[in-house]
Amino acid sequence: MKEKQIKWIPFYGGENPDLFEIERRCMDRAGKVIQYLDEMLPNGFILDVGAGNGFTAEKLQQENRQIVALEPDEKMIDLSKPLVWSKGVAQNIPFHEHTFDAVYSTWAFLFDGIPDIEDGLKEVERVVKPGGKIIIVDNYGNDEFCSFSPHDISSNVSFWVNRGFDYEVIDTQFIFDSIDEAQKLLSFYFGDKGIAVNKTKIEYKVVAYTKMN
Ligand SMILES: C[S@@+](CC[C@H](N)C(=O)[O-])C[C@H]1O[C@@H](n2cnc3c(N)ncnc32)[C@H](O)[C@@H]1O
């Protein structure tokens, strides 16, 4: 039998950690998404799907809350962070069913519109305990940040609502230390529109989808 190929979405952060450092430091500078996740997540055993370098997971980890950081890209995995790391993909989560008290994913594989998202969602539902929480974070859209993109990079709210999720919009901002820094990151994302940016604060709306398993 031919085995289905498990794909992961290539991400620039492993090849260009300096640029990723700007992204993580400046997007949601006020830490509203971390605060939201911190309030919404229970204690216990929590999975972060597509954890990147563990930026979010490290901030959510507490004495009574162990975060397991699942990440496919070896170049992103940062073993200096005091997390439990697991190398793998959303479509084939290397844990038994009902292992986790909650699962979350921030701007990672679980984007609506990607072809095998259903495989990832099924896996998330499999590894969360009955009654455990699932939280997915993405771009909400209708903001200055998404307006720079020639393509629609906003999340499709009705996809998630049809899947039984509630949602909340978090109003935040990219805040850069300088215009140079803003142009460096935004031109990498958006080309000429990014080079033309001449301010350090950019409106950014984030959506968090939640449901109980
Ligand atoms: C935009 S980064 C976000 C990282 C992190 N969640 C954060 O908020 O900083 C997306 C991450 O998803 C990972 N990724 C890509 N394909 C994946 C897949 N199939 N399953 C799980 N993670 C994946 C990438 O390697 C990358 O680290």
Side-chain angles (χ1 to χ4, degrees):
M1 196 172 69
K2 202 174 164 209
E3 228 177 82
K4 190 172 174 191
Q5 202 194 351
I6 301 288
K7 289 189 223 111
W8 53 282
I9 305 170
F11 181 63
Y12 79 90
E15 301 297 338
N16 200 335
D18 293 350
L19 207 52
F20 184 58
E21 189 281 325
I22 298 175
E23 173 182 304
R24 284 297 3 196
R25 173 166 45 81
C26 301
M27 77 189 293
D28 187 31
R29 189 72 169 241
K32 291 183 179 182
V33 175
I34 304 272
Q35 190 188 337
Y36 173 88
L37 289 169
D38 196 29
E39 285 166 12
M40 296 297 283
L41 288 170
N43 287 336
F45 207 39
I46 314 291
L47 183 69
D48 179 337
V49 176
N53 69 359
F55 178 94
T56 302
E58 185 181 32
K59 292 179 172 56
L60 295 171
Q61 177 135 293
Q62 296 170 3
E63 203 182 323
N64 296 320
R65 187 195 281 156
Q66 174 63 59
I67 313 281
V68 176
L70 177 72
E71 170 56 44
D73 183 350
E74 260 166 33
K75 293 199 192 90
M76 291 302 295
I77 293 175
D78 178 358
L79 294 175
S80 73
K81 293 206 167 83
L83 296 163
V84 173
W85 285 98
S86 172
K87 187 167 177 287
V89 291
Q91 307 93 306
N92 190 17
I93 298 177
F95 289 93
H96 293 296
E97 62 180 19
H98 305 162
T99 299
F100 295 96
D101 296 290
V103 174
Y104 71 89
S105 182
T106 55
W107 301 280
F109 168 80
L110 297 164
F111 296 122
D112 49 74
I114 70 157
D116 42 359
I117 186 169
E118 289 297 342
D119 294 345
L121 280 177
K122 270 188 213 128
E123 275 293 88
V124 165
E125 287 163 355
R126 181 183 66 77
V127 297
V128 182
K129 291 176 185 169
K133 206 173 267 178
I134 300 171
I135 308 180
I136 310 292
V137 168
D138 198 357
N139 300 333
Y140 179 63
N142 303 311
D143 60 9
E144 192 177 14
F145 175 74
C146 290
S147 77
F148 293 130
S149 174
H151 321 289
D152 184 5
I153 55 169
S154 56
S155 177
N156 178 356
V157 172
S158 44
F159 170 87
W160 295 96
V161 170
N162 288 336
R163 290 290 310 234
F165 284 79
D166 292 325
Y167 72 98
E168 195 166 319
V169 178
I170 302 168
D171 281 302
T172 187
Q173 280 180 309
F174 275 74
I175 301 183
F176 297 96
D177 286 350
S178 64
I179 289 176
D180 266 9
E181 198 174 66
Q183 290 176 341
K184 193 170 174 194
L185 186 69
L186 298 175
S187 65
F188 173 73
Y189 291 159
F190 307 122
D192 287 349
K193 284 217 173 164
I195 295 172
V197 168
N198 63 355
K199 55 186 186 170
T200 55
K201 292 185 182 173
I202 309 289
E203 178 204 30
Y204 181 41
K205 292 184 186 176
V206 173
V207 59
Y209 301 101
T210 58
K211 81 165 182 178
M212 305 300 256
N213 205 24

